[in-house]
Amino acid sequence: MDWIESGGGPLLVAPASQLAHWTGATDDDAVETTGDYGRACSVEGEIGLVTVGSLDGLVLSGPATTTFLPDERLFVRWEAADSEAGLLTAAKRLVHDAPWDETLTWQVDGPVVLIDSAWPGSAPEPGNHLTIDLAPARYQVRAAFVQDERTWTVLVQLQL
């Protein structure tokens, strides 16, 4: 699995067609308060939307290392787990009874890219971005914190 990390802030899932419009954090920005990175940091809760070019990007709040399971259309955020295998097994099981407490609607025009929101979209951090092949659609996005005896994770699922 490819896991994407942040330098301490939120992650961004942006339409690939609009990614170059994302400036991330710049030297002129007061970190976490202005610019594109500041807009991502201002999202309250686990998920939110910010404008990226002519579409919206999906913000995954907090610095949790994250991957995407395409068959489940599921972002898995590593909060606490003994192993990758244990986390993924738990996520696939826990998704069925997750207490979805946040939802939003997100329109995409095709593939999206998961990046550290502090990086500019025109030059994502080498080795730390993930292209996700999504069909153009309007997705219902839902998020939940779930846990079992050995795993804590935030799940973010895209539904058609």
Side-chain angles (χ1 to χ4, degrees), residues 10 32 37-44 50:
E32 298 180 10
Y37 180 68
R39 291 188 306 120
C41 289
S42 70
V43 166
E44 294 182 15
V50 294

Side-chain angles (χ1 to χ4, degrees), residues 141-157:
V141 183
R142 59 188 191 168
F145 173 79
V146 294
Q147 68 184 63
D148 65 13
E149 312 80 47
R150 306 195 58 84
T151 306
W152 293 9
T153 183
V154 172
L155 303 177
V156 177
Q157 189 172 44

Side-chain angles (χ1 to χ4, degrees), residues 1 67-76 88-89 91-93 95-96 100 134 139-140 142 155-160:
M1 296 297 310
T67 195
F68 185 76
L69 304 178
D71 291 343
E72 293 84 3
R73 286 192 308 271
L74 184 68
F75 290 97
V76 178
L88 296 176
T89 298
K92 289 177 183 180
R93 179 175 34 78
V95 71
H96 300 292
W100 305 106
L134 290 181
Y139 291 91
Q140 294 301 312
R142 59 188 191 168
L155 303 177
V156 177
Q157 189 172 44
L158 308 178
Q159 297 184 303
L160 290 172

Side-chain angles (χ1 to χ4, degrees), residues 6-155:
S6 83
L11 296 176
L12 175 71
V13 189
S17 67
Q18 303 300 307
L19 187 60
H21 295 282
W22 185 258
T23 60
T26 66
D27 292 339
D28 297 332
D29 292 340
V31 175
E32 298 180 10
T33 60
T34 62
D36 284 346
Y37 180 68
R39 291 188 306 120
C41 289
S42 70
V43 166
E44 294 182 15
E46 296 294 342
I47 55 175
L49 297 176
V50 294
T51 303
V52 180
S54 63
L55 295 172
D56 286 330
L58 176 66
V59 174
L60 306 177
S61 294
T65 301
T66 303
T67 195
F68 185 76
L69 304 178
D71 291 343
E72 293 84 3
R73 286 192 308 271
L74 184 68
F75 290 97
V76 178
R77 310 208 66 210
W78 194 322
E79 300 286 341
D82 292 333
S83 67
E84 175 182 295
L87 173 60
L88 296 176
T89 298
K92 289 177 183 180
R93 179 175 34 78
L94 294 168
V95 71
H96 300 292
D97 297 316
W100 305 106
D101 57 358
E102 293 183 52
T103 60
L104 55 83
T105 301
W106 182 39
Q107 177 78 39
V108 300
D109 63 352
V112 296
V113 183
L114 173 63
I115 65 170
D116 179 345
S117 65
W119 281 76
S122 60
E125 185 177 9
N128 193 41
H129 60 280
L130 177 64
T131 300
I132 300 164
D133 190 22
L134 290 181
R138 187 177 211 76
Y139 291 91
Q140 294 301 312
V141 183
R142 59 188 191 168
F145 173 79
V146 294
Q147 68 184 63
D148 65 13
E149 312 80 47
R150 306 195 58 84
T151 306
W152 293 9
T153 183
V154 172
L155 303 177

